[in-house]
DNA sequence: CAGAATCCGCAATGATACTG
DNA sequence: CAGTATCATTGCGGATTCTG
């Protein structure tokens, strides 16, 4: 049985529906949809967390990639870093307002992936 | 000025908030958040489109990556392929029901990236 | 027109070791 | 604890050629 699927209008300002190669949104999209970027942002949507906690939650991430991902997100103004100069050091990360706004779009996406993962990898319906 | 940001509860079934390394959702997430996967899915959210049109809209994509991306999304049951055996050939792609459901999450994400791109790359607020 | 097949470079990633 | 530095690897992705 076939069902007709309603076409959703793209509420985007892309001329002729073309996603331009040099568009800045491409870079932003690459950052926020990166393998580890998504997990870090979603993880932080629950509130501020320490370096070690982020490393634990994004299972499998290397220290290098955690540092790199956090730096990129910080430069993008999505994550803010709060370092306490104590020994041993303690550094907390949290979402900025803009990062939090983004996370409200990312959380449903990760949830969807989780809920549909089995059906997708097994080719079920 | 600082503002307090409410913590959003993660409506996910991840134990201890840990995203497991071997979780199938990781693979799914990689597919649907891939560089070209996002653009193809969002493009198709407007309705069925031909190979050549997808190639045009996802500006900068190579034939290889278009083929590879479409195959992956088709295997995942998110995109369906409709080939007409004529000369010259004509092949249309469209979203499955599951793919369409996903696109409703992806479209706002791309729109957000587009709307915030300038502020992000320029470091503005 | 819509691909498939092949070659190939380099940037992204991981592993390891070191440090304030 | 929270990183940085260096090195090794690989597989992603681009360019090209060929075809039904």
């Amino acid at each position: 049985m076939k069902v007709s699927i309603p076409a959703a209008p793209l509420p985007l300002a892309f001329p002729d529906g073309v996603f331009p190669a040099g568009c800045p949104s491409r870079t932003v999209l690459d950052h926020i949809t990166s393998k580890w970027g998504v997990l870090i942002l979603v993880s932080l949507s629950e509130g501020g967390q320490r370096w070690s906690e982020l490393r634990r939650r994004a299972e499998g991430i290397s220290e290098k990639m955690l540092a790199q991902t956090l730096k990129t997100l910080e430069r993008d103004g999505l994550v803010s870093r709060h370092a306490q100069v104590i020994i041993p050091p303690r550094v907390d990360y949290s979402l900025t307002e803009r990062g939090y706004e983004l996370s409200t779009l990312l959380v449903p996406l990760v949830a969807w992936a989780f809920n549909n993962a089995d059906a997708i990898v097994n080719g079920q319906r």
Side-chain angles (χ1 to χ4, degrees), chain A:
Chain A
M1 166 196 181
K2 298 219 170 188
V3 298
S4 71
I5 298 180
L10 250 190
L12 300 174
F14 292 115
D16 302 328
V18 172
F19 304 105
C23 184
S25 65
R26 286 276 185 102
T27 307
V28 173
L29 222 38
D30 283 345
H31 292 180
I32 65 181
T33 64
S34 69
K35 177 176 183 178
W36 300 113
V38 175
L39 297 184
I40 297 300
L41 287 167
V42 169
S43 189
L44 285 177
S45 73
E46 285 190 307
Q49 284 155 61
R50 303 181 63 171
W51 162 279
S52 51
E53 193 173 357
L54 288 173
R55 181 147 163 57
R56 205 178 45 78
R57 297 187 60 180
E59 197 178 285
I61 195 173
S62 65
E63 295 188 342
K64 179 180 176 178
M65 289 315 297
L66 179 56
Q68 184 174 307
T69 303
L70 284 171
K71 269 185 186 169
T72 298
L73 296 178
E74 196 189 355
R75 267 198 306 268
D76 287 346
L78 302 173
V79 163
S80 55
R81 200 183 99 110
H82 317 274
Q84 302 181 46
V85 189
I86 55 176
I87 292 188
R90 176 186 175 118
V91 183
D92 284 80
Y93 293 89
S94 61
L95 294 181
T96 62
E97 281 185 87
R98 194 189 301 272
Y100 180 75
E101 185 185 326
L102 170 60
S103 77
T104 64
L105 302 177
L106 252 25
V107 167
L109 188 68
V110 173
W112 187 91
F114 181 78
N115 293 136
N116 290 267
D118 285 341
I120 288 179
V121 299
N122 298 337
Q124 298 171 357
R125 51 200 68 183

